[in-house]
C-alpha cells in the first residue's frame, strides 16, 4: 500500500472510531464490496479508491455531519433508521419475572410448609403519589405470594421514631425485606440517607444501604442486593439480545438511586461507560455515541432524535407529567426521551409508562424473594463462615492464664455473625461475650438438629481427667480443623470453687474458653440473678409468716387485695390462687369469711420449710444459722441455713426450662414448705412468681463466648452435679443444635463421672428436653486410673509420687475396673461410648495400649489418645473422627427407668445399675416423706441423687469400682419446679467451705493495668 493510501486509511479508521457510522457505500468495482461494513475492510481495500487526505480537524469541528464523501467512499453519518424501533416492554418482562417468582415462592413453601417471604413497606405521611406506588407494590406482592405489610406512620413522625420502627422490623425474623417509601412526608426533617442506612443490609431490598451500594461499586454483585431500577434496566437490556460486553454505554444522570449504580452495573458487565450530568459538555455528541443509552435526568423529552445513535438501545427511566389538552385530565405522562423521534433511530426503546416502572417494582419483589431464599437456606442448611484463630503453640505449655492472655479473641459480634446469628439476636456484654436471645431458637425452629454429644468422665480424682478441657478441645477439632459446624455447651462456674480449691472451669492448656477471667468470674451475672430470685422468695416466706401472725383475717385480706382507683382488684397471681382453692370468683367483695380465711392465710408450718437462702461463696459458717433475732421480728426466730447459689432450685429451673413461659411455670410450682395441714406451699401461693421471672428473664438467655481457636461456646447455668443435676442449660443445647444444623455437632458436658452427671443428663435433662444424645465421650487419664488402682494420695502443691510418673502396669490394671464400669454405664443408655485418653508426657506406650485394649474389650465404640491440652484442636483430631463415626450409628437412646415406677424402685435401679450397689436403705424420715409424696402426686417425678462424686459409693474414700455395698438415703426433698425429687445419699453438704489455704491467697490485680493474677 502506498503512503497516501495508508494515510487515508488511517483517517477513515479514525472517522469510524469517532462517529461509528452504520456503513460505507462502495460505488466502484465488484458489488460484493458495495455494503460491506467498515469494520470488515482491509487497509488495502480502504486505500484502493482513496486519492485525497481526510481533514481530521474538520471532522472534529463538525457537530452535525450527516455524510462524508471521500472519492469513491460515501460515509453515511446520519444513520437514519429504515424502520421503527422495537418496543422494550417492561410490562411483558415483569410478567415473565413474576411467573418465575411465583414458582420460587411455591418451592420455598414445599421445602418448609408455611414459609413465606415477608416485606414491610414503611410510609411516613400520606402523599398520594406514594400511595399509588405502594398499592402497586402490595398488589404485586400478593400475586407472587409475598406477605407484604404496609407500615403507616403519621406526618408528625420524627426521625427517631422512624429509626425505632426500622430497628423493630430489622429484628423481626418474619420480615425478609424492608423499604421506606421516599420521600418521607413529615412535618419534621428526616434525612433520607440516615433512614436507608438504618435498614439492615440483609433486608435492604431497595439496595440503597451504603453497604449494598459499596458492593455494587466494587463489583460484588452476588452477596448483596442490587438497586431495583438499575437491576430492572439490566434485565431489559439483556432481553434485547444486544451484547453488553465491549459496547459503548452512556448514562445520562448520576443520582444515587439510578444513574450512579446503573453505570456501575454496566461497567461490571464489561461495557465502556460514560456518565453524563448537568455539567457535561457536548452532551448531545456523547449521547449520540452510545450503543446503549440510559436516561434518568428528570426532564421531560429532553433527549431528541438527533441524540440517538442509529441502532442504539434506549432505556428511558424518566416519568414526567406534561400538559395535554387532548387528555381528560389535561395531563399525560412522558419520559426523559422524545419517544416518537428516538424510535426512528433506536433499535429498541422503552415506553413511558410501561417500561422501566414495572421492572422497578418486580425487581423489588425479586430482591424480597432472594432475601427469603437466603434466610431459608440458612435455616435448612446452615454453613458457617467461621474464621479460626491460629494458635502459637509453645513447649512446655505455659500456665493456663498465660496461654489465654496470649490469644486475642475475636469481637463477639463477629463470631455471632460467622455462626449465623442475626444482629438483633445478639446482646453484647462488652466486646468478648454476649447474651443470645431465645428468639433465635424460634427463628431456627425449622432447622434440623445437629448431632448431640455428651462428655462425662471417670470417677474424679485430685489428678483430674480433663473433662472440660476435652469438651473444648473436641469442639476446636471439629470446627477449626474438620471445618464442620460445632458448638461447645458448658456450665458457668460458681465463684465458690473459683475462690476455693478447685479453681475455674474454662478448660486448660491450648483448649480453653476465653477470656478466662470473664468466664470464671461474674460473666453476665446469671448466678447473681439466681441468688437474688432465690433470696427474694426466702424473704417473702418469712415476711408472710410474720404478717399472718400479727393481723386478723380482715386486715390481712384488705392489705393483700389493694384498691385500684378506689376499687379492689385481684392481681393475676391472686386469681390463680383462687382457682387453686376452687373459689370461682373475681370480685374481692364477694368472698365469704371462710373464703377470705382460706385465701389470705397460708399457715406455713415453720418446721417444714425447705427453702433456704443462698450465696455464691464457700462459707461453712452459714451451714446452720438462726434468723429473726431482731426485736422488730417479735421473737419469730427459727433455725435455717444457707446453700451455695448453684444448689438453688432456681438454678435447676434455669437449666431445665425450655423457654420463658416454661421457666415461669416451673418457678410458680416450686414447693417451699407445707402448711399446718400438710399441703404444699408454692411460689405461686406466695405471689412471687412474676417477680422471680422478672429477675430471671435476662438470665435465661445463653451466653456466647469462644475457644482459643475462635470457635463458639455457649456458657449457661451452673448446677453442681453432686448436689443438683449438673448439666448446662436446655436452652443452650437447643440453640446450639439449631445453629449447627443437621450436619453439625453440639458437645455438651455432664458434671463429674457417668454415675453422677451422665445418669442425670439422661434421666433428668434428656427426659425433660426430649433431646436424645447420639454419643458419649468418656474422659480418662492414666494417672487417675492409677489412683483408682490404689495409688498414693496426692496433696495439691506437692510433687507427684513416682507411681504416677513412672510406668506402673500393675497399678494401672487395678484401676481399670473404674473405667470399665463407666463404659458400661454409657451402654446402659444404648449410647456408643468413645473413650478419650488424656495423655501426659510420663505415660508410656504400653500403658496407653493397655487402656485402649481394656476400653474396647468393655464395649467402647473407640478409644483414642488425645493431646488437645498441649496442641489445641489439632491434638483432638482422632477423637473428632471417632466421634463423627459414632454419631453416624443409629440412635437407640433409652432411659434407665420410667416415671411411673415407685420412688423406691427408681432409687434401687440407679443404685444397682449405675453405682453397682446391692441395695438401697431408706431412713425412717425418707419412708414417711415417700408416703406423703405419693398422696401429693410427687412420686411420679424422676430422682436426682445428691451424693459424693468421688466414689461410686456414698463414701468418698472408696475408689475403684466396688461391689456389694448399700446406699443410704437419709433425706428426700421435692424440687417440683425443676421436676424431680432430690435424694440425699450419705453425708453431702450443699454449702462448701474454704480450705486452710484457698486459692484467694494467689489472687491479685495490677492496679495500673487492671490485669488479674492468680486465676487458674
Amino acid at each position: 500500500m502506498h503512503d497516501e493510501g495508508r494515510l487515508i486509511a488511517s483517517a477513515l479508521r479514525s472517522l469510524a472510531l469517532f462517529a461509528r457510522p452504520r456503513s460505507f457505500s462502495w460505488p466502484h468495482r465488484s458489488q460484493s464490496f458495495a455494503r460491506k461494513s467498515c469494520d470488515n475492510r482491509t487497509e488495502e481495500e480502504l486505500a484502493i479508491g482513496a486519492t485525497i487526505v481526510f481533514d481530521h480537524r474538520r471532522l472534529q469541528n463538525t457537530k452535525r455531519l450527516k455524510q462524508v464523501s471521500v472519492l469513491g467512499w460515501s460515509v453515511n453519518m446520519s444513520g437514519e433508521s429504515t424502520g421503527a424501533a422495537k418496543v422494550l416492554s417492561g410490562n411483558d418482562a415483569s410478567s415473565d419475572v413474576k411467573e418465575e417468582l411465583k414458582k420460587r415462592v411455591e418451592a420455598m413453601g414445599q421445602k418448609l410448609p408455611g414459609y413465606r417471604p415477608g416485606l414491610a413497606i414503611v410510609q411516613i405521611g400520606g402523599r398520594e403519589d406514594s400511595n399509588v406506588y405502594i398499592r402497586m407494590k402490595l398488589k404485586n406482592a400478593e400475586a407472587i405470594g409475598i406477605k407484604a405489610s404496609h407500615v403507616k406512620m403519621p406526618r408528625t413522625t420524627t426521625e427517631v421514631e422512624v429509626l425505632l420502627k426500622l430497628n423493630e422490623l430489622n429484628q423481626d425474623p418474619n420480615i425478609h425485606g424492608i423499604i421506606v417509601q421516599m420521600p418521607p412526608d413529615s412535618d419534621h426533617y428526616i434525612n433520607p440517607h440516615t433512614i436507608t442506612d438504618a435498614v439492615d443490609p440483609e433486608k435492604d431490598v431497595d439496595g440503597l444501604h451504603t453497604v449494598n451500594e459499596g458492593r455494587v461499586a466494587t463489583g460484588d454483585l452476588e452477596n448483596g442486593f442490587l438497586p431495583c431500577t438499575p437491576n430492572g434496566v439490566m434485565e431489559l437490556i439483556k432481553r434485547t439480545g444486544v451484547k453488553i460486553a465491549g459496547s459503548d454505554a452512556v448514562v445520562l444522570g448520576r443520582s444515587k438511586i439510578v444513574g450512579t449504580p446503573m453505570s456501575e452495573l454496566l461497567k461490571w458487565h464489561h461495557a465502556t461507560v460514560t456518565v453524563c450530568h448537568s455539567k457535561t459538555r457536548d452532551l448531545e455528541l456523547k449521547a449520540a455515541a452510545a450503543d446503549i443509552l440510559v436516561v434518568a435526568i428528570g426532564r421531560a423529552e429532553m433527549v431528541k432524535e438527533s441524540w440517538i445513535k442509529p441502532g442504539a438501545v434506549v432505556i428511558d427511566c424518566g416519568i414526567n407529567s406534561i400538559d395535554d389538552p387532548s387528555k381528560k385530565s389535561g395531563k399525560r405522562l412522558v419520559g426523559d426521551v422524545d419517544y416518537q423521534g428516538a424510535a426512528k433511530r433506536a433499535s429498541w426503546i422503552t415506553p413511558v409508562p410501561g417500561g422501566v416502572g414495572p421492572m422497578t417494582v418486580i425487581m423489588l419483589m425479586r430482591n424480597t424473594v432472594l432475601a427469603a431464599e437466603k434466610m431459608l437456606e440458612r435455616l435448612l442448611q446452615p454453613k458457617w463462615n467461621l474464621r479460626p484463630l491460629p494458635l502459637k503453640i509453645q513447649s512446655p505449655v505455659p500456665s493456663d492464664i498465660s496461654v489465654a492472655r496470649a490469644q486475642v479473641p475475636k469481637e463477639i459480634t463477629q463470631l455471632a455473625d460467622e455462626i449465623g446469628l442475626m444482629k438483633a439476636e445478639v446482646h453484647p456484654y462488652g466486646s468478648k461475650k454476649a447474651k443470645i436471645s431465645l428468639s433465635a431458637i424460634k427463628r431456627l425452629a425449622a432447622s434440623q438438629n445437629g448431632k448431640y454429644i455428651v462428655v462425662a468422665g471417670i470417677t474424679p480424682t485430685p489428678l483430674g481427667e480433663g473433662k472440660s478441657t476435652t469438651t473444648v478441645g473436641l469442639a476446636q477439632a471439629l470446627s477449626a480443623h474438620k471445618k464442620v459446624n460445632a458448638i461447645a455447651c458448658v456450665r458457668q462456674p460458681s465463684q465458690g470453687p473459683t475462690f476455693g480449691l478447685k479453681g475455674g472451669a474454662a478448660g486448660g492448656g491450648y483448649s480453653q474458653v476465653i477470656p478466662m477471667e470473664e468466664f470464671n468470674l461474674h460473666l453476665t451475672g446469671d448466678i447473681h440473678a439466681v441468688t437474688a430470685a432465690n433470696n427474694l422468695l426466702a424473704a417473702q416466706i418469712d415476711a408472710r409468716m410474720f404478717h399472718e401472725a400479727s393481723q386478723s383475717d380482715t386486715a390481712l385480706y384488705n392489705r393483700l387485695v389493694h384498691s385500684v382507683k378506689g376499687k379492689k382488684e385481684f392481681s393475676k397471681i391472686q386469681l390463680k390462687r383462687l382457682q387453686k382453692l376452687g373459689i370461682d370468683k373475681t370480685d374481692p367483695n364477694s368472698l365469704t369469711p371462710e373464703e377470705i380465711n382460706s385465701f389470705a392465710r397460708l399457715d406455713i408450718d415453720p418446721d417444714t420449710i425447705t427453702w433456704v437462702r443462698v450465696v455464691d461463696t464457700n462459707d461453712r459458717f452459714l451451714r446452720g444459722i438462726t434468723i429473726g433475732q431482731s426485736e422488730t421480728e417479735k421473737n419469730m426466730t427459727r433455725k435455717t441455713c444457707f446453700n451455695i447459689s448453684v444448689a438453688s432450685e432456681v438454678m435447676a429451673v434455669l437449666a431445665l426450662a425450655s423457654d420463658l413461659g416454661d421457666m415461669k411455670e416451673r418457678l410458680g410450682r416450686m414447693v417451699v414448705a407445707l402448711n399446718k395441714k400438710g399441703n404444699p406451699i408454692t411460689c405461686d401461693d406466695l405471689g412471687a412468681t412474676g417477680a422471680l421471672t422478672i429477675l430471671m428473664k435476662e438470665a435465661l438467655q445463653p451466653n456466647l463466648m469462644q475457644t482459643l481457636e475462635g470457635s463458639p461456646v455457649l456458657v449457661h447455668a451452673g448446677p453442681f452435679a453432686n448436689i443438683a443435676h449438673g448439666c448446662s442449660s436446655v436452652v443452650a443445647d437447643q440453640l446450639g443444635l439449631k445453629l449447627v444444623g443437621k450436619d453439625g455437632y453440639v458437645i455438651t458436658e455432664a458434671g463429674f463421672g457417668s454415675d453422677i452427671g451422665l445418669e442425670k443428663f439422661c434421666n433428668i435433662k434428656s427426659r425433660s428436653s426430649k433431646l436424645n444424645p447420639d454419643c458419649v465421650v468418656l474422659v480418662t487419664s492414666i494417672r487417675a486410673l492409677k489412683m483408682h488402682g490404689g495409688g498414693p494420695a496426692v496433696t495439691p502443691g506437692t510433687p507427684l509420687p513416682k507411681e504416677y510418673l513412672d510406668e506402673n502396669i500393675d497399678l494401672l490394671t487395678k484401676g481399670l475396673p473404674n473405667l470399665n464400669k463407666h463404659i458400661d454405664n454409657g451402654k446402659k443408655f444404648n449410647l456408643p461410648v468413645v473413650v478419650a485418653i488424656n495423655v501426659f508426657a510420663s505415660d508410656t506406650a504400653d500403658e496407653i495400649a493397655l487402656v485402649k485394649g481394656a476400653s474396647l474389650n468393655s464395649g467402647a465404640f473407640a478409644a483414642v489418645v488425645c493431646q488437645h491440652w498441649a496442641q489445641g484442636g489439632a491434638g483432638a483430631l482422632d477423637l473428632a473422627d471417632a466421634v463423627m463415626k459414632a454419631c453416624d450409628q443409629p440412635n437407640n437412646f433409652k432411659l434407665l427407668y420410667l416415671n411411673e415406677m415407685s420412688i423406691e424402685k427408681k432409687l434401687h435401679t440407679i443404685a444397682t445399675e449405675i453405682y453397682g450397689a446391692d441395695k438401697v436403705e431408706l431412713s425412717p424420715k425418707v419412708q414417711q416423706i415417700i408416703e406423703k409424696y405419693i398422696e401429693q402426686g410427687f412420686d411420679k417425678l424422676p430422682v436426682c441423687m445428691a451424693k459424693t462424686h468421688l466414689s461410686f459409693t456414698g463414701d468418698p474414700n472408696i475408689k475403684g469400682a466396688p461391689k456389694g455395698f448399700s446406699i443410704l438415703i437419709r433425706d428426700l426433698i421435692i424440687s417440683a419446679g425443676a421436676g424431680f425429687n432430690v435424694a440425699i445419699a450419705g453425708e453431702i453438704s450443699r454449702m462448701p467451705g474454704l480450705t486452710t489455704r484457698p486459692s484467694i491467697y494467689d489472687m491479685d490485680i495490677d492496679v495500673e493495668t487492671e490485669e488479674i493474677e492468680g486465676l487458674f
Side-chain angles (χ1 to χ4, degrees):
M1 182 186 296
H2 52 78
D3 292 340
E4 186 181 35
R6 287 195 180 91
L7 187 57
I8 293 173
S10 175
L12 289 169
R13 283 197 305 274
S14 297
L15 172 64
L17 290 172
F18 180 83
R20 302 296 290 268
R22 291 180 64 83
S23 64
F24 287 139
S25 296
W26 181 263
H28 306 296
R29 299 184 182 266
S30 169
Q31 289 298 312
S32 62
F33 294 150
R35 298 294 299 171
K36 205 171 187 180
S37 167
C38 69
D39 291 337
N40 295 328
R41 299 286 186 183
T42 66
E43 285 191 347
E44 188 164 350
E45 287 178 304
L46 291 170
I48 289 176
T51 57
I52 65 171
V53 177
F54 194 84
D55 186 346
H56 289 262
R57 285 173 294 179
R58 187 170 71 85
L59 175 63
Q60 292 172 345
N61 293 330
T62 303
K63 294 184 177 180
R64 293 186 176 276
L65 188 63
K66 291 189 176 182
Q67 184 164 338
V68 177
S69 297
V70 184
L71 289 183
W73 287 90
S74 175
V75 184
N76 179 9
M77 296 295 295
S78 68
E80 293 181 0
S81 178
T82 58
K86 294 179 182 178
V87 177
L88 191 50
S89 171
N91 288 327
D92 292 345
S94 65
S95 294
D96 293 342
V97 176
K98 186 182 295 184
E99 292 304 314
E100 168 217 333
L101 295 180
K102 286 181 182 178
K103 294 176 182 178
R104 287 165 62 177
V105 171
E106 289 173 1
M108 284 189 275
Q110 290 172 356
K111 290 181 180 178
L112 180 60
Y115 185 83
R116 288 178 64 190
L119 172 66
I121 304 172
V122 180
Q123 180 186 19
I124 302 104
R127 285 175 52 132
E128 185 53 36
D129 55 348
S130 292
N131 292 336
V132 172
Y133 293 137
I134 290 171
R135 284 195 293 268
M136 186 187 306
K137 292 167 184 174
L138 292 172
K139 182 179 178 181
N140 276 271
E142 183 180 4
I144 291 167
I146 296 171
K147 185 178 181 181
S149 57
H150 185 186
V151 181
K152 298 180 181 180
M153 305 186 76
R155 281 179 56 90
T156 56
T157 300
T158 63
E159 185 176 271
V160 171
E161 289 174 309
V162 178
L163 295 176
L164 291 171
K165 174 56 67 175
L166 291 176
N167 184 56
E168 177 187 328
L169 295 172
N170 285 336
Q171 295 183 47
D172 188 341
N174 296 314
I175 298 295
H176 306 107
I178 302 170
I179 65 168
V180 180
Q181 188 67 41
M182 293 293 180
D185 179 25
S186 175
D187 296 335
H188 308 278
Y189 174 71
I190 295 177
N191 188 317
H193 184 75
T194 301
I195 296 304
T196 54
D197 267 10
V199 177
D200 187 329
E202 294 186 359
K203 297 188 177 187
D204 170 40
V205 290
D206 253 342
L208 300 179
H209 193 286
T210 301
V211 169
N212 286 320
E213 288 182 329
R215 285 171 173 155
V216 172
T218 58
D220 181 6
L221 308 184
E222 301 297 327
N223 293 314
F225 294 109
L226 303 180
C228 297
T229 298
N231 195 20
V233 170
M234 289 304 301
E235 288 295 318
L236 289 171
I237 295 172
K238 291 174 184 177
R239 287 175 72 91
T240 68
V242 170
K243 186 177 180 182
I244 301 174
S247 66
D248 288 330
V250 174
V251 179
L252 303 186
R254 57 179 174 179
S255 72
K256 171 185 174 180
I257 295 175
V258 181
T260 298
M262 186 71 249
S263 66
E264 299 291 353
L265 290 181
L266 286 164
K267 178 181 71 176
W268 295 118
H269 282 78
H270 310 297
T272 301
V273 185
T274 301
V275 179
C276 300
H277 46 79
S278 60
K279 305 298 182 183
T280 301
R281 297 178 181 177
D282 298 328
L283 189 60
E284 181 179 343
L285 274 181
K286 288 182 170 60
D291 298 320
I292 299 171
L293 179 63
V294 181
V295 185
I297 51 180
R299 295 180 62 180
E301 299 182 325
M302 177 177 174
V303 176
K304 306 299 183 182
E305 175 185 351
S306 60
W307 293 40
I308 310 300
K309 176 182 175 180
V313 174
V314 178
I315 308 292
D316 189 349
C317 300
I319 184 163
N320 310 278
S321 178
I322 64 172
D323 294 332
D324 187 345
S326 67
K327 300 293 183 182
K328 185 177 181 180
S329 65
K331 301 281 185 179
R332 67 183 172 93
L333 296 176
V334 297
D336 295 346
V337 176
D338 175 10
Y339 183 84
Q340 297 301 325
K344 296 177 182 178
R345 290 198 177 195
S347 60
W348 292 87
I349 188 169
T350 56
V352 176
V356 173
M359 292 303 294
T360 298
V361 175
I362 205 66
M363 289 301 107
L364 172 66
M365 301 300 134
R366 178 185 277 182
N367 280 347
T368 303
V369 171
L370 177 61
E373 287 173 333
K374 289 180 177 179
M375 178 60 72
L376 182 60
E377 183 179 0
R378 289 168 65 177
L379 287 175
L380 300 181
Q381 292 182 321
K383 182 59 182 174
W384 295 350
N385 183 31
L386 189 71
R387 285 163 282 190
L389 298 174
L391 292 177
K392 297 178 178 64
I393 302 292
Q394 296 183 43
S395 183
V397 177
S399 67
D400 289 348
I401 197 165
S402 297
V403 172
R405 284 187 178 151
Q407 185 67 288
V408 178
K410 302 175 189 177
E411 293 291 309
I412 201 64
T413 51
Q414 176 189 334
L415 176 61
D417 180 67
E418 289 175 359
I419 64 174
L421 287 164
M422 297 175 67
K423 290 180 181 178
E425 296 164 348
V426 182
H427 308 301
Y429 277 57
S431 61
K432 302 301 185 292
K433 58 183 183 288
K435 282 282 187 186
I436 307 302
S437 170
L438 298 189
S439 64
I441 299 175
K442 295 179 181 178
R443 175 176 63 85
L444 296 167
S447 178
Q448 294 185 49
N449 287 350
K451 299 296 185 181
Y452 197 26
I453 304 153
V454 56
V455 180
I458 63 169
T459 304
T461 69
L463 292 169
E465 71 278 7
K467 185 167 53 62
S468 298
T469 305
T470 301
T471 300
V472 176
L474 175 57
Q476 291 179 163
L478 287 166
S479 56
H481 297 269
K482 304 296 290 186
K483 307 300 182 185
V484 296
N485 297 351
I487 290 179
C489 292
V490 300
R491 289 174 294 165
Q492 177 185 352
S494 163
Q495 289 182 172
T498 299
F499 291 98
L501 182 64
K502 179 179 178 291
Y510 288 101
S511 294
Q512 292 189 55
V513 180
I514 55 172
M516 65 106 69
E517 299 100 316
E518 296 183 31
F519 175 86
N520 283 319
L521 296 176
H522 304 282
L523 197 57
T524 57
D526 293 348
I527 295 180
H528 301 318
V530 168
T531 303
N534 182 99
N535 292 345
L536 175 61
L537 183 56
Q540 171 66 343
I541 294 169
D542 290 303
R544 184 61 177 265
M545 288 194 299
F546 174 82
H547 292 303
E548 286 189 23
S550 59
Q551 298 180 51
S552 67
D553 286 359
T554 302
L556 184 64
Y557 181 72
N558 287 335
R559 286 184 172 89
L560 286 172
V561 186
H562 65 89
S563 297
V564 178
K565 296 181 180 180
K567 182 181 178 182
K568 282 186 175 295
E569 288 185 2
F570 290 119
S571 66
K572 291 180 180 179
I573 194 69
Q574 288 175 332
L575 289 171
K576 191 172 183 180
R577 173 160 171 77
L578 287 171
Q579 291 175 355
K580 177 180 177 180
L581 295 172
I583 302 174
D584 189 18
K585 295 180 181 179
T586 58
D587 181 3
N589 298 314
S590 66
L591 268 65
T592 66
E594 292 77 12
E595 289 171 337
I596 287 175
N597 175 272
S598 179
F599 171 82
R601 294 203 176 275
L602 298 181
D603 282 332
I604 296 171
D605 180 352
D607 294 335
T608 67
I609 295 174
T610 56
W611 197 265
V612 301
R613 290 165 174 80
V614 297
V615 63
D616 194 33
T617 303
N618 289 1
D619 191 345
R620 65 189 317 120
F621 279 86
L622 293 179
R623 291 172 179 169
I625 61 171
T626 301
I627 61 172
Q629 292 184 324
S630 169
E631 292 182 0
T632 57
E633 290 5 284
K634 301 178 181 179
N635 295 320
M636 289 190 65
T637 62
R638 67 181 182 91
K639 290 185 176 180
T640 182
C641 67
F642 271 73
N643 287 343
I644 193 164
S645 294
V646 290
S648 168
E649 186 178 353
V650 176
M651 176 61 82
V653 166
L654 173 66
L656 289 169
S658 58
D659 54 38
L660 187 61
D662 183 39
M663 182 174 75
K664 183 179 178 181
E665 286 298 316
R666 288 174 178 271
L667 291 171
R669 64 174 184 256
M670 293 188 303
V671 175
V672 300
L674 301 178
N675 66 15
K676 292 174 182 177
K677 294 180 180 179
N679 297 318
I681 299 297
T682 66
C683 180
D684 271 354
D685 293 324
L686 286 157
T689 304
L692 266 62
T693 306
I694 291 170
L695 287 171
M696 293 297 297
K697 174 179 172 290
E698 300 295 330
L700 187 59
Q701 298 176 346
N703 305 292
L704 178 65
M705 295 189 76
Q706 62 192 286
T707 69
L708 279 167
E709 297 193 57
S711 61
V713 180
L714 291 173
V715 186
H716 200 216
F720 276 0
N722 56 343
I723 54 182
H725 73 283
C727 303
S728 60
S729 76
V730 167
V731 290
D733 289 359
Q734 286 176 332
L735 176 61
L737 289 166
K738 293 299 182 185
L739 283 172
V740 300
K742 66 182 181 67
D743 297 323
Y745 300 84
V746 167
I747 306 99
T748 191
E749 61 157 345
F752 301 127
S754 70
D755 56 320
I756 300 291
L758 179 62
E759 182 272 314
K760 296 172 184 176
F761 176 90
C762 295
N763 285 323
I764 294 176
K765 183 178 179 181
S766 289
R767 188 191 303 267
S768 174
S769 69
K770 306 296 190 294
L771 300 174
N772 296 338
D774 294 284
C775 169
V776 175
V777 172
L778 184 65
V779 185
T780 188
S781 71
I782 289 172
R783 291 180 176 184
L785 289 173
K786 287 179 178 178
M787 177 168 281
H788 282 293
V794 173
T795 303
T798 62
L800 285 176
K802 65 181 182 62
E803 287 86 350
Y804 301 113
L805 299 175
D806 298 336
E807 182 177 286
N808 194 322
I809 298 296
D810 180 59
L811 202 58
L812 179 59
T813 301
K814 292 178 180 177
L816 287 175
N818 185 272
L819 171 62
N820 298 339
K821 177 56 181 167
H822 286 288
I823 294 172
D824 183 62
N825 284 347
K827 291 171 59 184
K828 288 184 184 297
F829 297 99
N830 276 358
L831 292 171
V833 178
V834 176
V835 176
I837 308 169
N838 267 337
V839 298
F840 293 82
S842 59
D843 298 340
T844 68
D846 287 345
E847 288 176 327
I848 293 170
L850 178 61
V851 174
K852 276 188 172 184
S855 299
L856 297 175
N857 289 337
S858 292
F861 179 84
V864 294
V865 170
C866 303
Q867 295 181 315
H868 43 271
W869 179 81
Q871 300 176 11
L877 286 175
D878 289 343
L879 176 61
D881 287 334
V883 165
M884 292 171 78
K885 290 177 182 177
C887 288
D888 287 337
Q889 306 302 304
N891 189 316
N892 297 314
F893 173 76
K894 70 172 185 177
L895 298 170
L896 192 65
Y897 57 81
L898 300 177
N899 279 341
E900 289 71 25
M901 294 168 57
S902 67
I903 293 177
E904 295 93 334
K905 182 63 175 176
K906 292 168 189 169
L907 292 169
H908 183 268
T909 301
I910 295 171
T912 57
E913 295 288 330
I914 300 298
Y915 305 157
D918 281 347
K919 62 178 179 178
V920 174
E921 297 179 13
L922 305 179
S923 70
K925 176 183 177 181
V926 170
Q927 292 175 2
Q928 293 176 358
I929 292 174
I930 290 176
E931 291 177 5
K932 195 68 177 177
Y933 283 2
I934 291 173
E935 293 176 15
Q936 297 166 343
F938 295 140
D939 60 314
K940 302 306 180 187
L941 296 175
V943 171
C944 179
M945 297 287 280
K947 79 167 197 67
T948 179
H949 57 292
L950 298 174
S951 173
F952 279 117
T953 73
D955 183 348
N957 297 310
I958 300 177
K959 303 300 182 184
K963 295 180 180 179
F965 60 92
S966 64
I967 292 289
L968 172 64
I969 307 299
R970 63 178 180 85
D971 201 358
L972 193 65
I973 302 171
I974 178 64
S975 289
F980 52 70
N981 292 306
V982 180
I984 309 296
E987 294 299 322
I988 185 78
S989 172
R990 295 201 282 178
M991 170 53 82
L994 291 175
T995 62
T996 303
R997 193 187 189 283
S999 59
I1000 58 175
Y1001 283 96
D1002 301 311
M1003 295 184 181
D1004 204 351
I1005 187 169
D1006 187 315
V1007 295
E1008 296 296 329
T1009 64
E1010 297 186 6
E1011 191 170 89
I1012 294 171
E1013 301 171 2
L1015 274 181
F1016 65 97

